[in-house]
Amino acid sequence: MSALAATGGRDVHTVRFPLTTPPAEVDVLIVGAGPVGLSAAVELTAHGARVAVVDRAHTATLVRAGAMGHTPRVVEHFRRWGLLQRIREEWTFPPEWNRGIRLVTSLVGHDLGQARGVSFTGPRAGRHSSQEALRRPQTALQQVFLTHLAERGVSVSGGWQLDELHERADHIAAGLVAAGRRIGVRARYVLGADGGSSTVRGLVGIERDGEHAPDKRLRLVVRTGDISGVVGAAPSGTNVVFNQKASGFLAAISTREWRVYAGPYPLDHTPDEAELLDVARGAFGFDPGLELVSSTTFHDATRIARTFRRGRVLLAGDAAHVRTPGGNLGEGFGDVVNLGWKLAAVLAGQAPDTLLDSYDQERRPHNWRVADHALERGRRSRDLLAELRAAGIPDDADTSAPAVERRAEISARLGRERYEAAGVTFDERYDASAVIWYETDQLDTEPPWLADVYEDDPRPGHRAPDGFVDPYGDTLYDRIGSSFALLVLGADRAVEEAFADEASARGLRFTVVHLTDPSVRALYGADNVLVRPDQHVAWRGGELSTGGAGAVLDRVLGAGSPEVPAPALPVPAGISALPAPKGVRA
């Protein structure tokens, strides 16, 4: 746990990576010690893999932090890793500042919409998840992951730059340099989690597709003095501002530092500090004596790798996909959870190397769907702001009848927008995978993926619906943990026995969950449901077909079967192809 800062929150302004030498040989070398890389180490270690993490940086800083908000789906991962409470404790501003996303003319201005409030005695659970969304900065996550890995003796080394990758028959050789010193690391696989300008991706020659942005925006971190005399002791920590000068998020990252957005600006324009601080003051609605701490450029654009796997090299997080900001870190965690059990199964000899092809088949189409939505959402937001400004947004000080009427019009206009995106959060459907046992005609009859609509769906390839399995707070996901699980929802145990025997013979982590509530059987639509360690349904049915449990597990583990061919894979809309992986250059 981090030390308490003077402001009361945890002090994670600077996270320091250990200055150690990486081991000479590991199962997986992870390049990048951001939240995705460190979480990959957490995931793989939980499955028994030997991993090491390297990063060219020595530290990570709060004022450069990216993601703050984490969806209920991401929080499910935190809970599964056993780290949720630690992450909750790493708050950098009082959690009571979080009162939903407030739509405002400025921090001290007028409300333009009803934020989802919090009730001290009200229900906590979300509609599709036992977990609620959470706000913690990236550095808080990194500190928790680092502490967890240190307790397990996992090597994390700062200051090491990757500059060579050479694939051999049974391993990949990585060259690392630090302060003029060169070493080699022999790994069975390399995972590139080293950001949008990924060295790993460049070394193996994986190109990216997607649109370039026509303009740019800036993410600012500004520091205030004590502003409690103006905004109160517990100001709203997350706001979206609409006025003639500022727009976008105004969000606390500590009790003295706030994130503000500026722009859009032409690509060739570089605003000076005075211009940026003027925008920030517009977001606050008064002059809080601001200091500009950092300024980071970002774009409303999509850049997705053409494959997430090439030989013994895999990509995750921003190294694999960069898109319009808002949830990309969560997609990185989704990559990690999808890949972790597969890579561990290959390393343990429980599955062939071809299982790793399904990582690209499953995660890349999903990321394209989300990226296309994010790009369109960004365009709509720009158009909406232009519309509001063209008709005028009254100054905060204007309390005349016309100003009140105009704010009511703006509020009504904002109310017609859909800000929730349940499909983005929960609909991680995998409908182009060779390792899912799809049902007859399933892929031809599934409803389309929609960003703002989601209903629990228990069909193969979908996230298994979660729920409580006892009156004391234990969830189905808690019960499954990091294992394969067979949900037994009927009285016949023949399928259970077949899967248990087959899983035992293969050395798989496997658990059986008996749920007798008829509503669970009605929800899942079958007497037996096989759930993968990443909480996705792999198969369901009342009885086993030709080949029995062995044929199902062969499919799920990427071994296939001549008697039970894998399905022909559809190509999701907007994706040119799902290419087979190619070898890394020697």
Side-chain angles (χ1 to χ4, degrees):
M1 184 182 297
S2 304
L4 281 169
T7 54
R10 301 297 175 187
D11 186 0
V12 288
H13 275 73
T14 302
V15 175
R16 292 176 172 80
F17 303 137
L19 301 179
T20 57
T21 300
E25 186 171 350
V26 291
D27 290 331
V28 183
L29 176 65
I30 300 169
V31 182
V36 171
L38 293 174
S39 68
V42 170
E43 175 75 17
L44 287 165
T45 300
H47 287 287
R50 298 176 303 125
V51 305
V53 184
V54 296
D55 198 294
R56 63 185 178 185
H58 293 85
T59 62
T61 59
L62 176 66
V63 296
R64 301 289 293 181
M68 283 285 296
H70 311 289
T71 68
R73 179 59 177 151
V74 170
V75 177
E76 290 172 354
H77 301 324
F78 295 163
R79 177 163 171 156
R80 176 173 164 273
W81 292 326
L83 298 175
L84 178 55
Q85 186 56 36
R86 284 189 177 187
I87 291 170
R88 287 192 178 281
E89 291 171 355
E90 295 291 334
W91 51 268
T92 54
F93 62 88
E96 59 267 28
W97 289 20
N98 290 315
R99 298 195 292 275
I101 298 177
R102 182 174 167 239
L103 307 182
V104 295
T105 58
S106 72
L107 184 62
V108 296
H110 303 268
D111 285 298
L112 296 173
Q114 183 66 45
R116 187 192 68 166
V118 59
S119 170
F120 192 74
T121 58
R124 297 172 55 200
R127 180 182 175 192
H128 302 292
S129 175
S130 64
Q131 304 303 306
E132 288 283 4
L134 179 67
R135 291 190 66 79
R136 296 294 183 272
Q138 287 189 191
T139 47
L141 307 184
Q142 287 170 283
Q143 187 59 66
V144 170
F145 295 154
L146 283 168
T147 300
H148 175 85
L149 294 170
E151 292 169 351
R152 285 152 181 77
V154 177
S155 173
V156 179
S157 305
W160 289 92
Q161 173 69 49
L162 174 76
D163 68 353
E164 288 184 337
L165 284 176
H166 301 284
E167 183 163 338
R168 308 304 186 208
D170 61 351
H171 72 280
I172 189 162
L176 301 170
V177 178
R181 180 186 173 200
R182 175 174 291 278
I183 65 169
V185 175
R186 176 188 174 114
R188 290 180 64 182
Y189 293 91
V190 168
L191 176 60
D194 50 341
S197 58
S198 172
T199 297
V200 174
R201 190 183 65 241
L203 286 174
V204 298
I206 297 176
E207 297 181 351
R208 296 187 293 177
D209 291 321
E211 294 187 39
H212 291 279
D215 49 33
K216 65 182 180 183
R217 291 191 286 162
L218 280 79
R219 180 188 295 118
L220 315 178
V221 173
V222 295
R223 183 173 294 132
T224 74
D226 181 2
I227 60 175
S228 60
V230 179
V231 300
S236 172
T238 310
N239 312 273
V240 177
V241 172
F242 297 89
N243 64 45
Q244 293 294 134
K245 182 177 293 185
S247 65
F249 271 104
L250 171 63
I253 59 176
S254 77
T255 56
R256 295 289 185 273
E257 286 127 347
W258 295 71
R259 176 184 294 166
V260 188
Y261 287 82
Y265 298 106
L267 293 173
D268 59 357
H269 175 67
T270 301
D272 59 23
E273 182 171 327
E275 183 178 354
L276 296 177
L277 287 176
D278 191 45
V279 172
R281 282 189 290 268
F284 280 90
F286 68 104
D287 186 353
L290 295 177
E291 171 192 352
L292 182 62
V293 179
S294 70
S295 172
T296 306
T297 300
F298 68 95
H299 305 88
D300 286 330
T302 297
R303 306 295 291 160
I304 296 181
R306 292 182 177 175
T307 180
F308 289 6
R309 182 200 179 191
R310 180 157 290 172
R312 293 183 176 273
V313 175
L314 302 119
L315 303 176
D318 285 2
H321 45 82
V322 175
R323 61 174 175 80
T324 300
N328 204 40
L329 177 57
E331 300 307 325
F333 290 137
D335 297 342
V336 164
V337 172
N338 181 285
L339 177 62
W341 71 269
K342 297 174 180 177
L343 196 48
V346 173
L347 291 168
Q350 299 164 340
D353 178 81
T354 51
L355 175 61
L356 301 179
D357 294 341
S358 69
Y359 170 61
D360 178 72
Q361 292 169 357
E362 294 178 353
R363 291 303 297 174
R364 190 157 56 91
H366 172 71
N367 272 284
W368 268 111
R369 287 183 179 122
V370 174
D372 287 346
H373 159 71
L375 198 61
E376 179 58 29
R377 180 193 60 193
R379 289 168 176 159
R380 290 200 313 267
S381 296
R382 287 198 302 273
D383 292 345
L384 173 62
L385 179 63
E387 173 191 329
L388 297 179
R389 284 179 169 172
I393 304 175
D395 185 86
D396 284 347
D398 188 349
T399 59
S400 65
V404 172
E405 181 180 359
R406 174 58 185 152
R407 290 190 193 101
E409 292 172 353
I410 293 172
S411 181
R413 177 65 182 85
L414 295 177
R416 295 196 294 273
E417 294 294 307
R418 302 191 70 162
Y419 295 99
E420 298 295 329
V424 173
T425 298
F426 295 110
D427 195 349
E428 291 180 304
R429 68 176 70 180
Y430 299 145
D431 52 5
S433 175
V435 300
I436 298 291
W437 193 289
Y438 297 109
E439 297 169 351
T440 303
D441 297 327
Q442 176 186 335
L443 298 179
D444 295 326
T445 59
E446 289 208 328
W449 184 91
L450 297 173
D452 54 0
V453 175
Y454 178 74
E455 296 294 338
D456 285 329
D457 193 329
R459 286 176 293 184
H462 290 259
R463 166 185 170 270
D466 193 20
F468 293 102
V469 297
D470 67 20
Y472 310 110
D474 291 300
T475 70
L476 176 61
Y477 290 175
D478 294 336
R479 179 70 174 79
I480 293 172
S482 297
S483 302
F484 281 94
L486 184 72
L487 311 187
V488 179
L489 311 178
D492 191 331
R493 301 186 65 180
V495 172
E496 170 193 341
E497 293 167 0
F499 270 113
D501 289 345
E502 192 67 37
S504 177
R506 297 167 186 249
L508 295 175
R509 291 184 183 180
F510 181 79
T511 189
V512 178
V513 184
H514 295 97
L515 298 173
T516 59
D517 184 344
S519 67
V520 182
R521 172 61 177 79
L523 171 62
Y524 272 94
D527 286 343
N528 304 279
V529 182
L530 182 65
V531 181
R532 308 189 316 192
D534 62 353
Q535 302 158 344
H536 278 255
V537 175
W539 169 92
R540 69 174 180 173
E543 58 186 24
L544 291 163
S545 58
T546 303
V552 175
L553 289 178
D554 279 346
R555 169 77 60 79
V556 172
L557 293 170
S561 169
E563 293 79 22
V564 187
L569 300 181
V571 178
I575 304 174
S576 58
L578 292 171
K582 301 177 182 178
V584 181
R585 62 178 182 271

